[in-house]
Amino acid sequence: MSVVSCRVAAKSCCTQARSAQVSMSPPHRGAAALCADLCISAINHATGGEDKIVHVLQLVGYIASAPGFTQQSQVMNGASDRLIERLGDRGRHTRTSVGVAELPRGAPVELGMIAAVRS
């Protein structure tokens, strides 16, 4: 299992997550896509390469959300799309999207990913 937060450029791309005017701009989906890349990188580091990933089984996304924001699943599409882009059918997964008031260090997105890997 790999859990990562998108802290890179959190201030520049996703500060709107704290306001009531959260939009579904590309940077919000981009933060989720970056988290997916970081999850893959963590698994690669632990296993020795992306080719060791047999299948992504589950993705859980926590999205920093203002009250009334209900499009967490749209933000998570950025992560899902990235996994399929990089891994093809091996990147297809079950998914949960959860809106939260805050994430550590002001991160806009945090992902937890469970993947089957081969040794």
Side-chain angles (χ1 to χ4, degrees), residues 44-67:
N44 288 347
H45 180 73
T47 64
E50 196 168 301
D51 59 324
K52 303 275 179 140
I53 298 173
V54 176
H55 199 94
V56 176
L57 302 172
Q58 182 182 36
L59 189 66
V60 178
Y62 301 94
I63 315 298
S65 303

Side-chain angles (χ1 to χ4, degrees), residues 83-108:
L83 291 173
I84 293 167
E85 173 188 313
R86 287 189 61 179
L87 302 172
D89 283 340
R90 297 180 300 141
R92 296 194 183 279
H93 53 274
T94 63
R95 184 178 86 180
T96 302
S97 304
V98 181
V100 297
E102 267 186 277
L103 288 169
R105 297 184 181 207

Side-chain angles (χ1 to χ4, degrees), residues 2 9-10 14-15 17 23 25 30 36 38 43 49 64 66-67 80 88 91 98 108 112 115:
S2 176
C14 293
T15 53
S23 68
S25 63
L38 294 173
I43 292 171
S80 293
V98 181

